[in-house]
Amino acid sequence: MKTYQLVGIGNAVVDVISQSDDSFLELMGIEKGIMQLIERERGEVLYAAMESRVQTPGGSVANTIAGAGTLGLDAAFIGRVHDDALGRFYADAMNEGGVDFVNPPVPSGELPTSRSMIFVSPDGERSMNTYLGISSELSSEDVSKDVAGNSQIMFLEGYLFDKDKGKSAFLEAARDCRDGGGKTGIAISDPFCVERHRADFLSLIENELDFVIGNEDEIKSLFETDDLEAALAKTAEICPLVVCTRSGDGVSVLSNGQRIDVPVEKIVPVDATGAGDQFAAGFLYGMATGRDLETCAKIGCVCAREVISHIGPRPEANMQELLRDAGLL
């Protein structure tokens, strides 16, 4: 059985990206800067209204795994797509990008392949309208014990917590990975996701996981506080490694009673889509290749900076070259 340095489990979503201004968002009733779940019919309306579409395989953890594959990790992604045009596009694109898409498209899929219509404003904010489709039906049956048990690092996507079978799949995968000697962590994904499943999130983090990665709003949401420092301290009490991205204020890493703060150079984003995902890709690349935590965070910052410099949630530059230029390889 193949051993992977990094395996991700998450929503397999085709991202459809278009640029738009605030008046368009208002006209279409789109709330700026957040992710909204939508029904199939709403998705068709928004898709038809998009101009100059860019189509790419997406999903938060899938973007992270793809980024890590670009950096050179032996990586795989576990997700659920229908055997339709978008599903085949998704699976082929992941494989061609150097990441093993473990599960083939489902011929008798109960729902269409998931897609997210992303409208990028002139200030770089992205407004995401996601039809979850078949990806939200992922269950333990989709997660190979052989793959999970032979993973050096496993990264889970918080969005899949919205269904009980997704939670069960997470729990089993985390245990299989750890039983095989690997480390397991989670991308918190979204403050609203935390609000829906706070008790389950906290239980998983405390009892089953080795690390957690989230932004400041997500970390604060875990403990229902506006005090980031208090939230970080409480999260560090229940998890061995806590990584918090704070946008232009840098990154904080807490591990074994120690704290590392890594600053970032502020730039105006072209498209903020994927910033957190690519930070995680760089950080996990550092972990998988034995770097110290400060270097892991610095690699993550380089990856995040690259992805916000262009449209789309995945790297376009030669990341190995960028990291060498930064003295991190």
Side-chain angles (χ1 to χ4, degrees):
M1 184 64 203
K2 185 172 183 179
T3 298
Y4 292 101
Q5 291 172 288
L6 178 63
V7 174
I9 303 178
N11 279 310
V13 182
V14 177
D15 285 341
V16 187
I17 305 169
S18 177
Q19 292 183 294
S20 63
D21 56 24
D22 289 355
S23 61
F24 174 85
L25 299 181
E26 185 175 347
L27 175 67
M28 299 302 294
I30 298 169
E31 190 168 348
K32 183 178 179 179
I34 69 165
M35 194 283 286
Q36 291 181 305
L37 296 179
I38 58 174
E39 297 300 323
R40 187 174 178 177
E41 294 75 13
R42 169 73 167 162
E44 291 173 354
V45 169
L46 294 181
Y47 183 84
M50 301 181 90
E51 296 181 359
S52 303
R53 306 181 191 99
V54 176
Q55 184 172 290
T56 179
S60 177
V61 164
N63 289 336
T64 293
I65 303 304
T70 300
L71 287 166
L73 288 191
D74 195 352
F77 179 68
I78 296 171
R80 188 173 177 87
V81 297
H82 194 154
D83 188 12
D84 52 19
L86 282 180
R88 291 188 292 272
F89 161 79
Y90 192 98
D92 290 345
M94 291 293 283
N95 288 321
E96 290 166 7
V99 171
D100 288 352
F101 189 74
V102 175
N103 301 333
V106 181
S108 56
E110 58 274 48
L111 293 169
T113 294
S114 310
R115 72 287 311 267
S116 181
M117 277 62 68
I118 302 173
F119 298 88
V120 182
S121 303
D123 59 3
E125 280 284 359
R126 79 270 196 218
S127 307
M128 305 170 67
N129 300 265
T130 303
Y131 167 61
L132 287 178
I134 195 174
S135 68
S136 63
E137 300 300 317
L138 185 138
S139 70
S140 299
E141 295 179 2
D142 297 300
V143 182
S144 163
K145 187 170 184 177
D146 288 333
V147 173
N150 287 281
S151 306
Q152 181 181 338
I153 299 173
M154 176 161 283
F155 196 42
L156 311 172
E157 181 176 309
Y159 283 130
L160 280 176
F161 257 52
D162 277 323
K163 294 201 174 179
D164 286 341
K165 54 187 173 183
K167 295 177 188 177
S168 298
F170 272 13
L171 189 59
E172 292 175 25
R175 290 175 177 171
D176 288 340
C177 178
R178 297 178 93 187
D179 286 346
K183 292 186 180 298
T184 305
I186 194 168
I188 298 178
S189 295
D190 187 286
F192 300 110
C193 192
V194 173
E195 289 174 13
R196 292 192 296 270
H197 310 288
R198 184 172 288 107
D200 287 333
F201 261 111
L202 290 173
S203 177
L204 185 76
I205 291 169
E206 182 170 10
N207 299 306
E208 308 290 348
L209 301 184
D210 301 290
F211 65 92
V212 59
I213 299 178
N215 64 34
E216 54 189 319
D217 291 331
E218 293 159 358
I219 296 291
K220 288 189 292 188
S221 182
L222 282 174
F223 293 96
E224 298 180 89
T225 178
D226 291 327
D227 186 339
L228 176 61
E229 294 304 317
L232 284 172
K234 289 182 178 180
T235 309
E237 289 176 4
I238 64 171
C239 190
L241 173 60
V242 181
V243 185
C244 177
T245 58
R246 295 181 289 120
S247 190
D249 292 326
V251 179
S252 297
V253 181
L254 288 75
S255 177
N256 298 319
Q258 296 184 322
R259 174 169 175 162
I260 301 164
D261 290 299
V262 176
V264 296
E265 181 183 346
K266 294 183 180 181
I267 64 170
V268 177
V270 173
D271 173 14
T273 309
D277 303 337
Q278 294 312 318
F279 170 83
F283 192 94
L284 296 174
Y285 168 81
M287 282 181 59
T289 54
R291 267 73 175 184
D292 63 83
L293 293 176
E294 183 173 1
T295 301
C296 291
K298 288 180 177 178
I299 292 173
C301 291
V302 171
C303 294
R305 179 176 180 177
E306 188 280 337
V307 82
I308 66 174
S309 70
H310 57 76
I311 297 291
R314 299 189 178 185
E316 293 182 351
N318 183 320
M319 295 309 303
Q320 294 271 355
E321 190 174 295
L322 285 182
L323 293 178
R324 279 192 292 270
D325 290 345
L328 296 170
L329 286 185

